[in-house]
């Protein structure tokens, strides 16, 4: 199997970034902002992430009133025009309900706009609101992802593509443009807990992003091990493992919990109802805030220690803090970004190097 991705960071250097789903934020009085105001605020947040020295800024695709970022690449291009160093990508692109050719073209264009700083994280969609919007049947969930991931891997070679399948029209020796600035767009696959998905990611030579939203992070350690074993089996070089997990940074542990947990609790209870898993309690969420849990919430020192422990436990070299929940004030998010970049990131790098 051809190696389809380039890891510009290597597989030893720790990189730290931010993920967001573009949740609608509130003003200082607690009134929800408009979608346009939220999007413009998100551009400001991405610019600040670059200014404080973070490595990645990613926006996840969603199609709801509370998470209206259905065209993340457009917002990323706006951020690219105002930044110089930070890598820009999708926290997840739901390739199952999109056209791989258009996904490639959009992110290759972003790569050109940003001077080679684009990347993409592909997923099959744990939130499935995009399927009926674009006319896809959830009964085809698995086939859509497998075929479209296969085609995207071919497109990344930036050579004439011959491909056929059941989910989109065939390609017969066609070249797809634009070509990327760097020759290949770094590509990750977001995995939420399926061994089959881990093996599939290794087969295509993509990097692995572990999406952890609750529970103990230690349960994902076998997936990291399986990934490297599968890479070796498929004759692929080692690829980095990243972690995406929710969190929030404030001056103190108590302030961080007070600012973040009510908004997160509202969101996660809605997700639990929608997907049919057990509704979390405040007690269970506080366990996730504690050692070994998935929520990275607290003072800079607390969050830095927890990120370091997570990276070491999962043999990962990238951590993306999923910041921002619907209803949190924009000013609070800016403070989180500043503390994460100026306080947390240097501490993590120091701890990981010791």
């Amino acid at each position: 199997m051809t190696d389809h991705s380039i890891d510009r960071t290597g597989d030893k250097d720790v990189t730290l970034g931010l993920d967001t789903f573009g949740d609608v934020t509130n003003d200082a009085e607690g009134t929800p902002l408009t979608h346009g105001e939220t999007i413009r605020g998100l551009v400001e947040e991405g610019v600040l992430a670059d200014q404080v020295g973070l490595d990645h800024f990613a926006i996840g695709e969603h199609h709801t009133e509370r998470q209206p970022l259905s065209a993340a690449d457009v917002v990323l291009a706006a951020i690219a025009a105002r930044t110089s160093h930070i890598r820009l990508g999708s926290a997840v692109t739901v390739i199952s309900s999109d056209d791989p050719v258009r996904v490639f073209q959009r992110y290759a264009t972003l790569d050109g706009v940003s001077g080679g700083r684009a990347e993409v994280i592909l997923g099959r969609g744990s939130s499935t609101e995009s399927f009926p919007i674009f006319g896809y049947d959830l009964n085809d969930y698995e086939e859509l992802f497998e075929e479209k991931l296969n085609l995207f891997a071919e497109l990344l070679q930036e050579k004439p593509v011959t491909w056929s399948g059941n989910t989109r029209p065939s390609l017969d020796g066609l070249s797809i443009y634009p070509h990327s600035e760097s020759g290949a767009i770094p590509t990750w696959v977001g995995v939420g807990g399926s061994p089959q998905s881990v093996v599939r990611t290794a087969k295509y030579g993509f990097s692995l992003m572990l999406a952890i939203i609750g529970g103990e992070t230690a349960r994902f350690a076998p997936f990291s091990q399986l990934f490297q074993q599968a890479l070796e089996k498929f004759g692929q070089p080692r690829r980095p493992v990243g972690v995406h997990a929710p969190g929030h940074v404030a001056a103190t542990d108590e302030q961080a919990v007070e600012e973040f947990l009510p908004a997160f609790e509202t969101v996660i209870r809605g997700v639990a109802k929608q997907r049919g898993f057990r509704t979390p309690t405040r007690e269970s969420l506080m366990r996730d805030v504690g050692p070994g849990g998935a929520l990275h919430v607290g003072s800079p020192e607390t969050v830095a220690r927890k990120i370091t422990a997570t990276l070491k436990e999962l043999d990962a070299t990238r951590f993306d803090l999923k910041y921002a929940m619907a209803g949190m004030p924009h000013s609070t998010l800016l403070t989180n970004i500043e503390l994460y970049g100026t306080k947390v990131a240097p501490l993590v790098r120091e701890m990981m190097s010791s």
Side-chain angles (χ1 to χ4, degrees):
M1 183 65 63
T2 304
D3 177 10
H4 294 297
S5 65
I6 290 176
D7 168 32
R8 295 181 181 130
T9 64
D11 68 348
K12 293 184 179 180
D13 296 331
V14 170
T15 61
L16 301 167
L18 289 165
D19 288 351
T20 178
F21 296 158
D23 303 69
V24 170
T25 49
N26 289 1
D27 63 18
E29 285 71 44
T31 303
L33 301 176
T34 67
H35 288 170
E37 289 169 329
T38 295
I39 290 168
R40 291 190 291 275
L42 185 53
V43 173
E44 185 180 350
E45 291 160 20
V47 171
L48 178 59
D50 182 65
Q51 292 172 346
V52 298
L54 291 171
D55 299 303
H56 309 272
F57 189 83
I59 302 173
E61 173 191 349
H62 284 79
H63 300 260
T64 68
E65 183 177 9
R66 291 168 68 89
Q67 295 173 329
L69 263 294
S70 55
D73 50 283
V74 177
V75 182
L76 292 166
I79 296 170
R82 296 177 54 189
T83 57
S84 303
H85 304 292
I86 198 165
R87 300 196 56 76
L88 301 166
S90 63
V92 71
T93 293
V94 185
I95 198 166
S96 304
S97 58
D98 210 331
D99 183 348
V101 173
R102 293 297 287 147
V103 172
F104 172 81
Q105 289 176 323
R106 295 197 302 265
Y107 280 89
T109 300
L110 175 64
D111 203 54
V113 170
S114 65
R117 291 185 282 134
E119 59 184 28
V120 62
I121 300 175
L122 304 174
R124 52 183 167 180
S126 57
S127 298
T128 56
E129 66 271 1
S130 62
F131 284 74
I133 292 174
F134 299 111
Y136 290 102
D137 190 337
L138 281 172
N139 291 324
D140 300 327
Y141 186 82
E142 188 64 34
E143 182 182 25
L144 284 165
F145 184 64
E146 180 66 49
E147 282 202 356
K148 293 188 176 186
L149 192 67
N150 176 270
L151 175 53
F152 194 82
E154 295 300 317
L155 294 165
L156 286 174
Q157 297 183 63
E158 303 193 6
K159 299 176 181 178
V161 176
T162 297
W163 180 93
S164 63
N166 299 320
T167 56
R168 78 170 311 279
S170 300
L171 298 173
D172 186 10
L174 294 180
S175 297
I176 306 301
Y177 303 109
H179 288 168
S180 65
E181 180 81 357
S182 55
I185 301 169
T187 301
W188 303 65
V189 173
V191 173
S194 164
Q196 293 81 7
S197 295
V198 172
V199 173
R200 180 194 287 120
T201 302
K203 179 179 73 172
Y204 287 115
F206 296 138
S207 300
L208 180 69
M209 181 62 69
L210 298 172
I212 308 174
I213 63 171
E216 295 184 357
T217 57
R219 73 187 194 279
F220 283 83
F223 295 123
S224 182
Q225 297 164 7
L226 174 63
F227 179 59
Q228 300 301 343
Q229 292 167 0
L231 286 170
E232 183 176 355
K233 175 183 176 181
F234 290 120
Q236 297 280 8
R238 282 184 63 87
R239 288 284 162 206
V241 174
V243 178
H244 156 112
H248 180 67
V249 189
T252 66
D253 292 348
E254 294 76 16
Q255 182 182 348
V257 169
E258 180 182 347
E259 292 175 346
F260 176 81
L261 209 58
F264 181 77
E265 186 174 3
T266 298
V267 170
I268 203 68
R269 285 189 171 188
V271 171
K273 183 178 180 180
Q274 180 186 51
R275 302 184 192 174
F277 58 76
R278 180 179 298 176
T279 302
T281 64
R282 176 56 67 98
E283 291 72 23
S284 68
L285 293 175
M286 285 303 298
R287 284 197 296 273
D288 283 354
V289 170
L295 300 182
H296 294 68
V297 178
S299 68
E301 294 77 12
T302 295
V303 173
R305 286 195 298 270
K306 192 164 188 180
I307 290 173
T308 302
T310 296
L311 289 170
K312 289 182 176 180
E313 188 165 44
L314 301 184
D315 193 23
T317 56
R318 171 173 172 173
F319 185 90
D320 287 354
L321 184 76
K322 196 286 175 189
Y323 80 103
M325 292 290 159
M328 295 181 72
H330 175 56
S331 59
T332 300
L333 304 184
L334 292 175
T335 300
N336 168 79
I337 293 169
E338 184 173 4
L339 289 173
Y340 184 59
T342 62
K343 303 292 185 181
V344 175
L347 284 171
V348 172
R349 293 185 180 110
E350 179 182 344
M351 293 175 188
M352 289 295 294
S353 65
S354 62

